[in-house]
mmCIF file of all heavy atoms in Angstrom:
data_model
loop_
_atom_site.group_PDB
_atom_site.id
_atom_site.type_symbol
_atom_site.label_atom_id
_atom_site.label_comp_id
_atom_site.label_asym_id
_atom_site.label_seq_id
_atom_site.Cartn_x
_atom_site.Cartn_y
_atom_site.Cartn_z
ATOM 1 N N PHE Y 205 -26.139 -19.896 48.544
ATOM 2 C CA PHE Y 205 -27.259 -20.129 47.598
ATOM 3 C C PHE Y 205 -27.742 -18.846 47.021
ATOM 4 O O PHE Y 205 -27.976 -17.909 47.704
ATOM 5 C CB PHE Y 205 -28.396 -20.843 48.274
ATOM 6 C CG PHE Y 205 -28.015 -22.246 48.730
ATOM 7 C CD1 PHE Y 205 -27.466 -22.449 50.026
ATOM 8 C CD2 PHE Y 205 -28.237 -23.309 47.867
ATOM 9 C CE1 PHE Y 205 -27.067 -23.715 50.380
ATOM 10 C CE2 PHE Y 205 -27.807 -24.601 48.275
ATOM 11 C CZ PHE Y 205 -27.273 -24.820 49.544
ATOM 12 N N VAL Y 206 -27.764 -18.781 45.672
ATOM 13 C CA VAL Y 206 -28.187 -17.625 44.910
ATOM 14 C C VAL Y 206 -29.486 -17.991 44.295
ATOM 15 O O VAL Y 206 -29.606 -18.755 43.292
ATOM 16 C CB VAL Y 206 -27.133 -17.183 43.856
ATOM 17 C CG1 VAL Y 206 -27.655 -15.970 43.039
ATOM 18 C CG2 VAL Y 206 -25.778 -16.847 44.526
ATOM 19 N N HIS Y 207 -30.607 -17.378 44.820
ATOM 20 C CA HIS Y 207 -31.951 -17.691 44.295
ATOM 21 C C HIS Y 207 -32.152 -16.807 43.138
ATOM 22 O O HIS Y 207 -32.240 -15.544 43.253
ATOM 23 C CB HIS Y 207 -32.917 -17.415 45.367
ATOM 24 C CG HIS Y 207 -34.323 -17.629 44.972
ATOM 25 N ND1 HIS Y 207 -35.434 -16.886 45.462
ATOM 26 C CD2 HIS Y 207 -34.899 -18.538 44.050
ATOM 27 C CE1 HIS Y 207 -36.513 -17.362 44.853
ATOM 28 N NE2 HIS Y 207 -36.191 -18.252 44.048
ATOM 29 N N LEU Y 208 -32.363 -17.448 41.947
ATOM 30 C CA LEU Y 208 -32.723 -16.735 40.713
ATOM 31 C C LEU Y 208 -34.262 -16.619 40.726
ATOM 32 O O LEU Y 208 -34.923 -17.563 40.429
ATOM 33 C CB LEU Y 208 -32.179 -17.455 39.504
ATOM 34 C CG LEU Y 208 -30.684 -17.631 39.472
ATOM 35 C CD1 LEU Y 208 -30.264 -18.490 38.317
ATOM 36 C CD2 LEU Y 208 -29.967 -16.321 39.506
ATOM 37 N N ALA Y 209 -34.694 -15.514 41.098
ATOM 38 C CA ALA Y 209 -36.178 -15.299 41.347
ATOM 39 C C ALA Y 209 -36.885 -14.558 40.164
ATOM 40 O O ALA Y 209 -36.342 -13.629 39.639
ATOM 41 C CB ALA Y 209 -36.377 -14.463 42.642
ATOM 42 N N GLY Y 210 -37.991 -15.137 39.798
ATOM 43 C CA GLY Y 210 -38.780 -14.477 38.720
ATOM 44 C C GLY Y 210 -40.258 -14.854 38.908
ATOM 45 O O GLY Y 210 -40.550 -15.858 39.592
ATOM 46 N N THR Y 211 -41.086 -14.173 38.228
ATOM 47 C CA THR Y 211 -42.485 -14.482 38.296
ATOM 48 C C THR Y 211 -42.794 -15.687 37.443
ATOM 49 O O THR Y 211 -42.018 -16.091 36.545
ATOM 50 C CB THR Y 211 -43.295 -13.271 37.704
ATOM 51 O OG1 THR Y 211 -43.046 -13.105 36.288
ATOM 52 C CG2 THR Y 211 -43.065 -11.966 38.494
ATOM 53 N N ARG Y 212 -43.945 -16.290 37.673
ATOM 54 C CA ARG Y 212 -44.315 -17.408 36.935
ATOM 55 C C ARG Y 212 -44.437 -17.113 35.459
ATOM 56 O O ARG Y 212 -44.016 -17.891 34.577
ATOM 57 C CB ARG Y 212 -45.679 -17.984 37.444
ATOM 58 C CG ARG Y 212 -45.989 -19.314 36.809
ATOM 59 C CD ARG Y 212 -47.428 -19.828 37.059
ATOM 60 N NE ARG Y 212 -47.678 -21.140 36.666
ATOM 61 C CZ ARG Y 212 -47.679 -21.529 35.397
ATOM 62 N NH1 ARG Y 212 -47.455 -20.575 34.422
ATOM 63 N NH2 ARG Y 212 -47.917 -22.737 35.075
ATOM 64 N N ALA Y 213 -44.956 -15.960 35.118
ATOM 65 C CA ALA Y 213 -45.162 -15.508 33.705
ATOM 66 C C ALA Y 213 -43.840 -15.385 32.947
ATOM 67 O O ALA Y 213 -43.676 -15.885 31.897
ATOM 68 C CB ALA Y 213 -45.900 -14.231 33.633
ATOM 69 N N VAL Y 214 -42.851 -14.804 33.642
ATOM 70 C CA VAL Y 214 -41.491 -14.604 33.075
ATOM 71 C C VAL Y 214 -40.886 -15.984 32.743
ATOM 72 O O VAL Y 214 -40.356 -16.269 31.726
ATOM 73 C CB VAL Y 214 -40.556 -13.740 33.904
ATOM 74 C CG1 VAL Y 214 -39.113 -13.892 33.478
ATOM 75 C CG2 VAL Y 214 -40.976 -12.330 33.886
ATOM 76 N N ILE Y 215 -40.959 -16.882 33.775
ATOM 77 C CA ILE Y 215 -40.313 -18.234 33.685
ATOM 78 C C ILE Y 215 -41.055 -19.033 32.630
ATOM 79 O O ILE Y 215 -40.397 -19.727 31.851
ATOM 80 C CB ILE Y 215 -40.168 -18.807 35.041
ATOM 81 C CG1 ILE Y 215 -39.183 -17.994 35.894
ATOM 82 C CG2 ILE Y 215 -39.705 -20.329 35.020
ATOM 83 C CD1 ILE Y 215 -39.066 -18.375 37.355
ATOM 84 N N GLU Y 216 -42.354 -19.035 32.673
ATOM 85 C CA GLU Y 216 -43.101 -19.845 31.674
ATOM 86 C C GLU Y 216 -42.799 -19.409 30.307
ATOM 87 O O GLU Y 216 -42.564 -20.246 29.408
ATOM 88 C CB GLU Y 216 -44.552 -19.736 31.946
ATOM 89 C CG GLU Y 216 -45.412 -20.589 31.017
ATOM 90 C CD GLU Y 216 -46.876 -20.521 31.307
ATOM 91 O OE1 GLU Y 216 -47.433 -19.536 31.766
ATOM 92 O OE2 GLU Y 216 -47.558 -21.608 31.061
ATOM 93 N N THR Y 217 -42.678 -18.146 30.027
ATOM 94 C CA THR Y 217 -42.272 -17.643 28.690
ATOM 95 C C THR Y 217 -40.907 -18.176 28.299
ATOM 96 O O THR Y 217 -40.723 -18.592 27.105
ATOM 97 C CB THR Y 217 -42.299 -16.090 28.688
ATOM 98 O OG1 THR Y 217 -43.602 -15.617 28.956
ATOM 99 C CG2 THR Y 217 -41.825 -15.548 27.288
ATOM 100 N N ARG Y 218 -39.993 -18.146 29.268
ATOM 101 C CA ARG Y 218 -38.650 -18.684 28.928
ATOM 102 C C ARG Y 218 -38.666 -20.137 28.643
ATOM 103 O O ARG Y 218 -37.997 -20.673 27.776
ATOM 104 C CB ARG Y 218 -37.703 -18.397 30.100
ATOM 105 C CG ARG Y 218 -37.330 -16.928 30.231
ATOM 106 C CD ARG Y 218 -36.442 -16.681 31.414
ATOM 107 N NE ARG Y 218 -36.076 -15.274 31.495
ATOM 108 C CZ ARG Y 218 -35.094 -14.829 32.217
ATOM 109 N NH1 ARG Y 218 -34.405 -15.665 33.018
ATOM 110 N NH2 ARG Y 218 -34.791 -13.544 32.244
ATOM 111 N N MET Y 219 -39.445 -20.929 29.465
ATOM 112 C CA MET Y 219 -39.490 -22.375 29.268
ATOM 113 C C MET Y 219 -40.107 -22.695 27.874
ATOM 114 O O MET Y 219 -39.644 -23.652 27.213
ATOM 115 C CB MET Y 219 -40.303 -23.043 30.384
ATOM 116 C CG MET Y 219 -39.613 -23.096 31.704
ATOM 117 S SD MET Y 219 -40.572 -23.896 33.000
ATOM 118 C CE MET Y 219 -40.206 -25.631 32.547
ATOM 119 N N GLN Y 220 -41.066 -21.966 27.494
ATOM 120 C CA GLN Y 220 -41.740 -22.239 26.183
ATOM 121 C C GLN Y 220 -40.844 -21.953 25.079
ATOM 122 O O GLN Y 220 -40.945 -22.475 23.982
ATOM 123 C CB GLN Y 220 -43.035 -21.480 26.094
ATOM 124 C CG GLN Y 220 -44.112 -22.019 27.066
ATOM 125 C CD GLN Y 220 -45.411 -21.177 27.086
ATOM 126 O OE1 GLN Y 220 -45.364 -20.015 26.741
ATOM 127 N NE2 GLN Y 220 -46.441 -21.757 27.593
ATOM 128 N N ALA Y 221 -39.890 -20.993 25.240
ATOM 129 C CA ALA Y 221 -38.994 -20.606 24.230
ATOM 130 C C ALA Y 221 -37.795 -21.575 24.020
ATOM 131 O O ALA Y 221 -37.157 -21.584 22.933
ATOM 132 C CB ALA Y 221 -38.455 -19.172 24.382
ATOM 133 N N ARG Y 222 -37.469 -22.324 25.094
ATOM 134 C CA ARG Y 222 -36.289 -23.111 24.954
ATOM 135 C C ARG Y 222 -36.565 -24.455 24.280
ATOM 136 O O ARG Y 222 -37.639 -24.984 24.377
ATOM 137 C CB ARG Y 222 -35.584 -23.350 26.403
ATOM 138 C CG ARG Y 222 -36.391 -24.185 27.322
ATOM 139 C CD ARG Y 222 -35.638 -24.200 28.632
ATOM 140 N NE ARG Y 222 -36.312 -25.043 29.577
ATOM 141 C CZ ARG Y 222 -35.988 -25.268 30.840
ATOM 142 N NH1 ARG Y 222 -34.913 -24.644 31.280
ATOM 143 N NH2 ARG Y 222 -36.662 -26.065 31.594
ATOM 144 N N THR Y 223 -35.487 -25.010 23.685
ATOM 145 C CA THR Y 223 -35.617 -26.264 22.992
ATOM 146 C C THR Y 223 -34.666 -27.271 23.570
ATOM 147 O O THR Y 223 -33.584 -26.875 24.124
ATOM 148 C CB THR Y 223 -35.426 -26.115 21.497
ATOM 149 O OG1 THR Y 223 -34.102 -25.537 21.270
ATOM 150 C CG2 THR Y 223 -36.397 -25.200 20.865
ATOM 151 N N GLY Y 224 -34.956 -28.526 23.486
ATOM 152 C CA GLY Y 224 -34.009 -29.566 23.800
ATOM 153 C C GLY Y 224 -33.875 -29.842 25.326
ATOM 154 O O GLY Y 224 -32.978 -30.524 25.706
ATOM 155 N N HIS Y 225 -34.778 -29.260 26.173
ATOM 156 C CA HIS Y 225 -34.636 -29.522 27.607
ATOM 157 C C HIS Y 225 -35.695 -30.560 27.974
ATOM 158 O O HIS Y 225 -36.817 -30.461 27.508
ATOM 159 C CB HIS Y 225 -34.805 -28.220 28.425
ATOM 160 C CG HIS Y 225 -34.337 -28.358 29.799
ATOM 161 N ND1 HIS Y 225 -35.116 -28.866 30.777
ATOM 162 C CD2 HIS Y 225 -33.169 -28.056 30.351
ATOM 163 C CE1 HIS Y 225 -34.478 -28.835 31.951
ATOM 164 N NE2 HIS Y 225 -33.286 -28.406 31.686
ATOM 165 N N PHE Y 226 -35.349 -31.482 28.916
ATOM 166 C CA PHE Y 226 -36.325 -32.519 29.320
ATOM 167 C C PHE Y 226 -37.434 -32.034 30.190
ATOM 168 O O PHE Y 226 -38.456 -32.715 30.294
ATOM 169 C CB PHE Y 226 -35.511 -33.624 30.063
ATOM 170 C CG PHE Y 226 -34.799 -33.164 31.368
ATOM 171 C CD1 PHE Y 226 -35.591 -33.154 32.561
ATOM 172 C CD2 PHE Y 226 -33.479 -32.822 31.355
ATOM 173 C CE1 PHE Y 226 -34.957 -32.721 33.660
ATOM 174 C CE2 PHE Y 226 -32.874 -32.340 32.478
ATOM 175 C CZ PHE Y 226 -33.610 -32.315 33.722
ATOM 176 N N MET Y 227 -37.288 -30.922 30.872
ATOM 177 C CA MET Y 227 -38.333 -30.487 31.786
ATOM 178 C C MET Y 227 -39.461 -29.698 31.073
ATOM 179 O O MET Y 227 -39.202 -28.632 30.520
ATOM 180 C CB MET Y 227 -37.736 -29.571 32.857
ATOM 181 C CG MET Y 227 -38.726 -29.029 33.851
ATOM 182 S SD MET Y 227 -39.358 -30.253 34.982
ATOM 183 C CE MET Y 227 -38.190 -30.070 36.319
ATOM 184 N N PRO Y 228 -40.673 -30.276 31.054
ATOM 185 C CA PRO Y 228 -41.782 -29.562 30.355
ATOM 186 C C PRO Y 228 -42.395 -28.417 31.173
ATOM 187 O O PRO Y 228 -42.398 -28.537 32.344
ATOM 188 C CB PRO Y 228 -42.786 -30.701 30.154
ATOM 189 C CG PRO Y 228 -42.558 -31.633 31.322
ATOM 190 C CD PRO Y 228 -41.098 -31.574 31.597
ATOM 191 N N PRO Y 229 -42.882 -27.415 30.472
ATOM 192 C CA PRO Y 229 -43.564 -26.344 31.220
ATOM 193 C C PRO Y 229 -44.688 -26.787 32.074
ATOM 194 O O PRO Y 229 -45.010 -26.143 33.057
ATOM 195 C CB PRO Y 229 -44.093 -25.456 30.089
ATOM 196 C CG PRO Y 229 -43.148 -25.666 28.938
ATOM 197 C CD PRO Y 229 -42.831 -27.190 29.073
ATOM 198 N N ALA Y 230 -45.229 -27.997 31.856
ATOM 199 C CA ALA Y 230 -46.315 -28.510 32.635
ATOM 200 C C ALA Y 230 -45.992 -28.707 34.138
ATOM 201 O O ALA Y 230 -46.748 -28.741 35.032
ATOM 202 C CB ALA Y 230 -46.875 -29.854 32.041
ATOM 203 N N LEU Y 231 -44.628 -28.927 34.359
ATOM 204 C CA LEU Y 231 -44.174 -29.162 35.760
ATOM 205 C C LEU Y 231 -43.922 -27.815 36.462
ATOM 206 O O LEU Y 231 -43.506 -27.903 37.612
ATOM 207 C CB LEU Y 231 -42.968 -30.029 35.707
ATOM 208 C CG LEU Y 231 -43.215 -31.491 35.390
ATOM 209 C CD1 LEU Y 231 -41.905 -32.330 35.475
ATOM 210 C CD2 LEU Y 231 -44.243 -32.126 36.412
ATOM 211 N N LEU Y 232 -44.053 -26.692 35.841
ATOM 212 C CA LEU Y 232 -43.733 -25.465 36.490
ATOM 213 C C LEU Y 232 -44.524 -25.192 37.766
ATOM 214 O O LEU Y 232 -43.972 -24.734 38.796
ATOM 215 C CB LEU Y 232 -43.872 -24.320 35.509
ATOM 216 C CG LEU Y 232 -43.382 -22.960 35.959
ATOM 217 C CD1 LEU Y 232 -41.962 -22.987 36.449
ATOM 218 C CD2 LEU Y 232 -43.600 -21.926 34.827
ATOM 219 N N ASP Y 233 -45.842 -25.559 37.686
ATOM 220 C CA ASP Y 233 -46.704 -25.326 38.925
ATOM 221 C C ASP Y 233 -46.130 -26.150 40.102
ATOM 222 O O ASP Y 233 -46.131 -25.664 41.196
ATOM 223 C CB ASP Y 233 -48.136 -25.695 38.585
ATOM 224 C CG ASP Y 233 -48.808 -24.638 37.729
ATOM 225 O OD1 ASP Y 233 -48.418 -23.440 37.817
ATOM 226 O OD2 ASP Y 233 -49.750 -25.023 37.017
ATOM 227 N N SER Y 234 -45.715 -27.357 39.838
ATOM 228 C CA SER Y 234 -45.201 -28.207 40.964
ATOM 229 C C SER Y 234 -43.903 -27.593 41.461
ATOM 230 O O SER Y 234 -43.634 -27.708 42.623
ATOM 231 C CB SER Y 234 -45.045 -29.713 40.488
ATOM 232 O OG SER Y 234 -43.918 -29.833 39.610
ATOM 233 N N GLN Y 235 -43.066 -27.013 40.614
ATOM 234 C CA GLN Y 235 -41.843 -26.418 41.029
ATOM 235 C C GLN Y 235 -42.145 -25.227 41.934
ATOM 236 O O GLN Y 235 -41.540 -25.112 43.064
ATOM 237 C CB GLN Y 235 -41.088 -25.957 39.837
ATOM 238 C CG GLN Y 235 -40.530 -27.028 38.941
ATOM 239 C CD GLN Y 235 -39.156 -27.304 39.259
ATOM 240 O OE1 GLN Y 235 -38.249 -26.398 39.070
ATOM 241 N NE2 GLN Y 235 -38.777 -28.500 39.635
ATOM 242 N N PHE Y 236 -43.087 -24.356 41.556
ATOM 243 C CA PHE Y 236 -43.431 -23.230 42.380
ATOM 244 C C PHE Y 236 -44.072 -23.681 43.697
ATOM 245 O O PHE Y 236 -43.863 -23.092 44.750
ATOM 246 C CB PHE Y 236 -44.348 -22.223 41.654
ATOM 247 C CG PHE Y 236 -43.588 -21.206 40.874
ATOM 248 C CD1 PHE Y 236 -43.487 -21.257 39.498
ATOM 249 C CD2 PHE Y 236 -42.883 -20.128 41.479
ATOM 250 C CE1 PHE Y 236 -42.744 -20.328 38.789
ATOM 251 C CE2 PHE Y 236 -42.218 -19.168 40.799
ATOM 252 C CZ PHE Y 236 -42.154 -19.295 39.463
ATOM 253 N N ALA Y 237 -44.839 -24.719 43.692
ATOM 254 C CA ALA Y 237 -45.504 -25.263 44.814
ATOM 255 C C ALA Y 237 -44.507 -25.791 45.869
ATOM 256 O O ALA Y 237 -44.713 -25.661 47.050
ATOM 257 C CB ALA Y 237 -46.569 -26.328 44.493
ATOM 258 N N THR Y 238 -43.418 -26.323 45.360
ATOM 259 C CA THR Y 238 -42.410 -26.923 46.234
ATOM 260 C C THR Y 238 -41.387 -25.869 46.746
ATOM 261 O O THR Y 238 -40.845 -26.016 47.817
ATOM 262 C CB THR Y 238 -41.604 -28.002 45.437
ATOM 263 O OG1 THR Y 238 -42.516 -28.956 44.960
ATOM 264 C CG2 THR Y 238 -40.530 -28.702 46.245
ATOM 265 N N LEU Y 239 -41.202 -24.791 45.990
ATOM 266 C CA LEU Y 239 -40.238 -23.733 46.336
ATOM 267 C C LEU Y 239 -40.445 -23.143 47.739
ATOM 268 O O LEU Y 239 -41.485 -22.641 48.059
ATOM 269 C CB LEU Y 239 -40.241 -22.566 45.274
ATOM 270 C CG LEU Y 239 -39.343 -21.448 45.587
ATOM 271 C CD1 LEU Y 239 -37.857 -21.854 45.522
ATOM 272 C CD2 LEU Y 239 -39.513 -20.313 44.586
ATOM 273 N N GLU Y 240 -39.342 -23.215 48.523
ATOM 274 C CA GLU Y 240 -39.335 -22.546 49.830
ATOM 275 C C GLU Y 240 -38.221 -21.487 49.621
ATOM 276 O O GLU Y 240 -37.024 -21.799 49.593
ATOM 277 C CB GLU Y 240 -38.955 -23.517 50.931
ATOM 278 C CG GLU Y 240 -39.970 -24.595 51.218
ATOM 279 C CD GLU Y 240 -39.517 -25.651 52.163
ATOM 280 O OE1 GLU Y 240 -38.399 -25.606 52.696
ATOM 281 O OE2 GLU Y 240 -40.316 -26.588 52.403
#
Side-chain angles (χ1 to χ4, degrees):
F205 293 89
V206 177
H207 178 213
L208 301 177
T211 66
R212 188 189 188 293
V214 166
I215 293 172
E216 183 176 31
T217 299
R218 290 180 178 194
M219 286 183 82
Q220 290 172 341
R222 70 183 182 183
T223 58
H225 196 277
F226 62 85
M227 180 70 94
L231 287 178
L232 188 55
D233 286 334
S234 73
Q235 292 261 300
F236 272 106
T238 303
L239 177 63
E240 296 172 1

